[in-house]
Amino acid sequence: MQTPPEVIRELCSKLPDFRRAYEEGGLAIEDFEDFGPLRLFRNNFLEGYYRLLAEILARRAQLTRRPR
């Protein structure tokens, strides 16, 4: 299902970052790493990943403390 063109136009007019990402040539390769939405995604992903690692370590520690 395609997004209606009027929705795309509205997003482009209201969200400059959307327009940069949507339009061909709107976002240079060298700007991608510092692109706000990408940084937000990357930071949230890494935060979740590190929380998962901490949970794994905590559960492993619990398992090694249990008497057998």
Side-chain angles (χ1 to χ4, degrees), residues 1 4 6-7 10-11 13 15 17 19 36 42 45-46 53:
M1 182 169 110
E6 61 271 10
V7 172
E10 184 175 354
L11 289 170
S13 70
L15 302 170
D17 282 339
R19 183 178 56 250
R42 180 185 56 218
F45 178 86
L46 289 173
L53 290 180

Side-chain angles (χ1 to χ4, degrees), residues 1-67:
M1 182 169 110
Q2 279 196 308
T3 304
E6 61 271 10
V7 172
I8 299 294
R9 281 193 297 274
E10 184 175 354
L11 289 170
C12 285
S13 70
K14 293 182 177 181
L15 302 170
D17 282 339
F18 177 84
R19 183 178 56 250
R20 285 180 65 204
Y22 182 76
E23 292 178 350
E24 189 171 334
L27 187 61
I29 292 173
E30 55 272 7
D31 296 334
F32 190 73
E33 185 176 342
D34 292 323
F35 186 52
L38 173 73
R39 284 195 337 251
L40 178 64
F41 172 80
R42 180 185 56 218
N43 292 345
N44 286 335
F45 178 86
L46 289 173
E47 181 183 324
Y49 175 72
Y50 292 133
R51 274 190 281 147
L52 173 63
L53 290 180
E55 182 67 24
I56 291 169
L57 288 172
R59 289 185 184 203
R60 283 184 177 172
Q62 285 177 346
L63 290 174
T64 58
R65 284 193 301 246
R66 288 185 181 167

